[in-house]
Amino acid sequence: ASFVVEVRDNVGDTATSPLSITIASNTTISPSNSSIIYSPFNWNVQNGVASTINSGAYFRTIFSGTSAALATNTAPDAAPYPQIWARVDNQGWQLFTLNAGNPPLTVATGLSGTQKHMLEVVVKSTSEFLTRWSSSQTVVQLTGIVLDGGATVTAPNRRSRNVLIYGDSITEGYHVLGTGDVTTSDALGSYSYALTTALDAEVGVVGFGGTGVTVSGVGGVPDLPSSYNYIYSGVSRSFSSPAPDLVIYNEGTNDTASIMAGLEQVINAIRTSAPNSKHLILVPFNQTHISDIEAAVTAIGSANVTYQGTSGWFNTADSVDGVHPYNYSSVYFIAPKLFPVVESLLGP
């Protein structure tokens, strides 16, 4: 932007040579820019907005310039608002809480302008008790990344494999910090997000509290057979761009009826869309539905569909309520037992 300043002397005369000043405008990077790497399977990315309702959803990019801010749209949301983590150049995570009025979130200022910088953002938590699925009141919407005027973004290397995880509140990191809702839940303290730190894989976490194979969850989220192929109501989930190399299921904790038929239905449907995908069913940490899971694997009859026992993975004393592991339990007890299982399925 530019404008003209007329310089006058002290008797009010106009200077013969107006001074033209150019002010550099900010650069706003569209959410659909190909240099932004999103977690797979849990974002709806359009030209003007990227939306997710999943804790553990993330994105990253490399940017030039001295500052960065996230432009948001919070019009659909209600209190308690979602929280996100952001960090630049692998420094400490900064906590941001969305709020009414589409606030820009300044994640960095005063950086060196002579080098590029890495930006990472993770959805920390959203409310379990607001509408989540249809006309979501817990959606996180990115409308742009605001940089210095003339700044650019560069794509980091994308990891070579893609993993999709279905689960419930345990998978989304609910209650990892204690009893509560948004403030005491944290995807960084979940076993599922921990996979992103250990594998050459992009990981899409899809966990909703109260859900199961036969039961709907809080916030109006449908059961797994009705929701597995949607990011949220009305928005389909793609199993081809990218295709999942591995799909993990941590389902059954909230189910009382048999989960055999529902698992079989979902797994066979995804295998039709992604025939090279592998599927791993975890026995729920409360050790229920073992016979249902065994029966589903047998009925499907594919070497690419297996299950994993989890006896001894979780001690109920390491939780706030005997069900939801504390963050240390998820990250340092459960996740390390899962790492080698997943690595063996993904291959070298």
Side-chain angles (χ1 to χ4, degrees):
S2 63
F3 56 91
V4 172
V5 176
E6 292 183 343
V7 181
R8 301 172 182 267
D9 60 25
N10 58 7
V11 295
D13 294 333
T14 301
T16 56
S17 300
L19 177 65
S20 178
I21 300 176
T22 299
I23 304 297
S25 301
N26 289 332
T27 296
T28 299
I29 305 299
S30 170
S32 61
N33 191 293
S34 61
S35 291
I36 303 173
I37 303 298
Y38 290 94
S39 54
F41 313 117
N42 56 14
W43 285 92
N44 177 27
V45 181
Q46 303 296 326
N47 185 46
V49 60
S51 306
T52 184
I53 62 172
N54 287 120
S55 300
Y58 62 82
F59 68 85
R60 63 182 183 274
T61 192
I62 295 170
F63 68 95
S64 63
T66 64
S67 67
L70 306 179
T72 66
N73 175 32
T74 60
D77 297 314
Y81 285 85
Q83 293 186 326
I84 67 172
W85 290 114
R87 68 178 177 181
V88 173
D89 294 339
N90 208 35
Q91 299 301 304
W93 290 103
Q94 302 176 70
L95 177 63
F96 296 90
T97 301
L98 301 186
N99 215 321
N102 310 332
L105 308 177
T106 300
V107 297
T109 58
L111 300 174
S112 168
T114 61
Q115 66 186 59
K116 294 183 178 181
H117 305 278
M118 170 69 94
L119 169 65
E120 300 170 86
V121 176
V122 180
V123 178
K124 171 187 174 286
S125 55
T126 68
S127 176
E128 296 276 306
F129 304 109
L130 298 172
T131 301
R132 308 184 82 181
W133 189 251
S134 183
S135 301
S136 176
Q137 296 175 307
T138 65
V139 66
V140 174
Q141 293 191 327
L142 174 75
T143 58
I145 301 175
V146 183
L147 304 175
D148 296 349
T152 59
V153 287
T154 304
N157 285 340
R158 190 174 186 90
R159 294 166 182 168
S160 67
R161 307 298 176 89
N162 293 283
V163 175
L164 168 60
I165 305 177
Y166 289 113
D168 49 37
S169 55
I170 296 171
T171 296
E172 67 172 327
Y174 183 62
H175 275 179
V176 296
L177 301 174
T179 303
D181 189 23
V182 175
T183 58
T184 58
S185 302
D186 188 354
L188 294 188
S190 68
Y191 77 90
S192 52
Y193 184 81
L195 288 174
T196 67
T197 68
L199 303 172
D200 178 23
E202 305 293 350
V203 180
V205 179
V206 178
F208 296 109
T211 58
V213 179
T214 66
V215 293
S216 299
V218 292
V221 180
D223 59 28
L224 183 65
S226 303
S227 64
Y228 80 92
N229 55 342
Y230 291 96
I231 295 176
Y232 46 79
S233 180
V235 178
S236 297
R237 193 187 322 277
S238 173
F239 298 101
S240 59
S241 57
D245 295 286
L246 175 65
V247 185
I248 301 172
Y249 307 82
N250 187 358
E251 302 279 358
T253 299
N254 296 311
D255 293 279
T256 55
S258 172
I259 64 175
M260 173 191 168
L263 283 176
E264 193 177 344
Q265 174 189 337
V266 171
I267 292 171
N268 281 333
I270 297 176
R271 291 177 65 225
T272 298
S273 300
N276 295 322
S277 60
K278 294 183 178 180
H279 298 257
L280 173 67
I281 310 172
L282 299 179
V283 171
F285 300 144
N286 64 357
Q287 302 305 301
T288 56
H289 300 288
I290 296 174
S291 60
D292 293 340
I293 293 170
E294 292 175 340
V297 171
T298 300
I300 295 169
S302 169
N304 283 339
V305 180
T306 58
Y307 75 93
Q308 174 63 48
T310 60
S311 178
W313 287 27
F314 169 56
N315 184 340
T316 57
D318 295 318
S319 72
V320 68
D321 54 11
V323 176
H324 299 92
Y326 284 127
N327 55 352
Y328 70 83
S329 178
S330 279
V331 174
Y332 291 112
F333 294 160
I334 296 172
K337 291 182 172 65
L338 183 57
F339 293 158
V341 178
V342 173
E343 286 176 334
S344 67
L345 291 171
L346 288 178

